[in-house]
Amino acid sequence: MNTTGAGTIDRPVTRDPKKQDQTMNPTFTDTPVPVHADAIESRQNRNHAMQLIPEALARAHMHERLREAESERRGHRLAAARRMQRRAERASLRARRALAMAVMQ
């Protein structure tokens, strides 16, 4: 068995971290530090905003439905008011006729 070689992945030469190849075990200080911390924060804000999109859409949809319902209620009230006005006009005409008939007798 030859022990002077570099070893293999399965059988490294040594298990001592100080003697191992540094490219195989990068330390925490070797990892690059994010250059733009603002970019990460911006990305998190965008993700948060994207999570809120369905809620905003639902809120806008409900606002639109409420506006339509209020408009429909206004239309129903207007139609009812017009019906009542016509009914009042007919009652007024009947009263005039009745008064005219009473005077004529």
Side-chain angles (χ1 to χ4, degrees):
M1 183 181 251
N2 187 3
T3 59
T4 60
T8 63
I9 292 175
D10 292 334
R11 295 182 181 270
V13 174
T14 179
R15 296 208 183 269
D16 186 4
K18 294 178 184 174
K19 295 180 183 176
Q20 288 182 357
D21 186 11
Q22 292 300 317
T23 59
M24 297 298 285
N25 295 345
T27 61
F28 183 70
T29 56
D30 293 338
T31 57
V33 176
V35 179
H36 299 289
D38 293 340
I40 294 172
E41 186 177 340
S42 170
R43 199 172 309 125
Q44 287 174 344
N45 287 340
R46 185 180 67 221
N47 288 343
H48 188 256
M50 289 182 75
Q51 289 173 354
L52 296 178
I53 286 175
E55 183 180 337
L57 285 173
R59 192 176 296 118
H61 185 251
M62 287 304 299
H63 179 71
E64 182 65 22
R65 294 289 306 262
L66 287 171
R67 192 185 63 73
E68 288 174 5
E70 181 61 33
S71 175
E72 191 172 329
R73 278 193 293 268
R74 254 186 268 128
H76 284 301
R77 283 194 299 258
L78 181 62
R82 286 183 179 160
R83 277 195 307 272
M84 289 167 51
Q85 182 181 7
R86 286 193 299 269
R87 188 178 299 159
E89 287 172 356
R90 285 195 303 268
S92 174
L93 284 175
R94 280 195 304 272
R96 280 187 188 173
R97 281 192 208 114
L99 181 63
M101 293 293 262
V103 170
M104 294 292 262
Q105 287 181 358

